[in-house]
């Protein structure tokens, strides 16, 4: 088949001249180029309605798998809520490596996420964003109060929260007058009540029950912050604080959640089942956020190639058996051998199930009074997975 350049050349020899127009040639070239370079939509495949895979036109995307996140904002973050991240390559002030496997990676900015949530009032969710510093997503919210000192803030984005919705913080309790017939006893200071669950001593139980239902319908929404004493048992929560006045520290990574198991009769502690299965006592005045942390498919991501790990700032890791004896307990020897040694870390700690610390009830006496039930380990954990 003759090429277009040959057909257009006046010096084409030993071939019959075919009349052809320049417009036809231009259309033929553009159409052939378009056929060589397929559109991006033809390269993407949707799997189970949850993941996005790609046609393997290169080795790096053959096994690449990403969750579908059409709700994520594609632009830059709000700059006033970010600070530059100065990378250390895993080295301390003396230049010695203290964290192995770190180095390189793309330049990043740290998003300052609000884990205090003391600003009261309604806050509008502007957008859901990606955060390179955590596995979950974050939400940009704006306070409707014009007199707020900091109207803009980032919060953890729970599963199901989208742009256009609203969130509120009741960390200090339910304000008076918000719900007719309901008085938050914990919010009213210097006032003693025989009822420790946070409800007013209304003579009419029917009226109190209606007020309780109205309170829960208004406050128990995804993304709202409430003290544990106002959260009913069985509710999924995340971002739990361990002190009434400090930041939230528990249950913050992607897809994690805890469950309120019980409220003690004395009205001091509540029991929470954590993601690991541990049941722990937390003060009822400590705040928690309703819902589950978003990006629940984070652990199903397949990077597809080693280069994406380097983009994330992760360096290659070497097996201990491939090292010298001076570098690792498994190193040295002739051939592939670790010398009948039990598996250990580079610093000599046993790694296959040996308890290296003693928290909780099985440890020293009164070492951790807050742990009611330890997380399942070994056979108990495997049986739980089968169930």
């Amino acid at each position: 088949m003759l090429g277009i350049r040959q057909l257009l050349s006046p010096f084409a020899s030993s071939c019959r001249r075919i009349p052809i127009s320049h417009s036809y040639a231009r259309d033929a070239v553009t159409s052939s180029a378009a056929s060589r370079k397929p559109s991006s939509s033809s390269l993407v495949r949707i799997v189970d309605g949850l993941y996005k895979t790609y046609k393997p036109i290169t080795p790096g995307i053959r096994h690449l798998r990403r969750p579908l996140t059409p709700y994520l904002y594609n632009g830059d973050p709000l700059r006033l809520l970010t600070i530059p991240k100065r990378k250390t390559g895993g080295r301390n002030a003396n230049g010695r490596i203290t964290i192995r496997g770190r180095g390189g990676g793309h330049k990043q900015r740290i998003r300052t996420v609000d884990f205090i949530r003391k600003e009261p009032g309604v806050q509008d969710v502007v957008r859901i964003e990606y955060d390179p510093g955590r596995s979950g997503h974050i939400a940009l919210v704006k306070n409707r109060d014009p007199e707020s000192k900091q109207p803009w803030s980032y919060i953890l984005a729970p599963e199901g929260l989208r742009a256009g919705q609203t969130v509120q913080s009741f960390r200090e309790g339910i304000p008076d007058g918000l719900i007719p017939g309901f008085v938050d006893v914990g919010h009213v200071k210097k006032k003693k009540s025989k009822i420790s669950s946070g409800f007013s001593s209304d003579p009419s139980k029917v009226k109190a029950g209606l007020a309780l239902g109205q309170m829960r319908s208004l406050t128990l929404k995804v993304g709202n912050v409430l003290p544990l004493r106002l959260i009913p048992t069985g509710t999924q929560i995340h971002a739990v604080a361990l002190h009434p006045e400090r930041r939230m520290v528990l249950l913050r990574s992607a897809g994690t959640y805890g469950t309120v198991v019980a409220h003690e009769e004395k009205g001091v502690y509540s029991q929470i089942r954590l993601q690991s299965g541990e049941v722990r006592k937390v003060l009822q005045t400590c705040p928690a956020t309703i819902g589950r942390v978003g990006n629940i498919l984070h652990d199903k991501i397949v990077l597809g190639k080693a280069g994406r790990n380097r983009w994330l700032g992760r360096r290659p890791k070497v097996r201990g058996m491939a090292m010298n004896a001076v570098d690792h307990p498994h190193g040295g020897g002739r051939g592939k051998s670790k010398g009948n040694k039990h598996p250990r870390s580079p610093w000599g700690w046993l790694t296959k199930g040996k308890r290296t610390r003693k928290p909780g009830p099985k440890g020293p006496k009164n070492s951790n009074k807050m742990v009611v039930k330890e997380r399942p380990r070994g056979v108990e954990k495997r049986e739980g997975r089968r169930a």
Side-chain angles (χ1 to χ4, degrees), residues 83-96:
I83 55 177
K85 182 179 180 180
R86 307 301 182 191
K87 299 199 174 184
T88 61
R91 289 157 174 81
N92 61 5
N94 296 326
R96 294 190 175 93

Side-chain angles (χ1 to χ4, degrees), residues 45-53 65 68 297:
R45 301 168 180 173
I46 308 301
V47 180
D48 299 332
L50 300 174
Y51 306 103
K52 180 169 57 175
T53 59
R65 184 174 69 178
L68 293 173
L297 298 176

Side-chain angles (χ1 to χ4, degrees), residues 200 231 256 261 277:
S200 63
I231 301 177
T256 57
V261 178

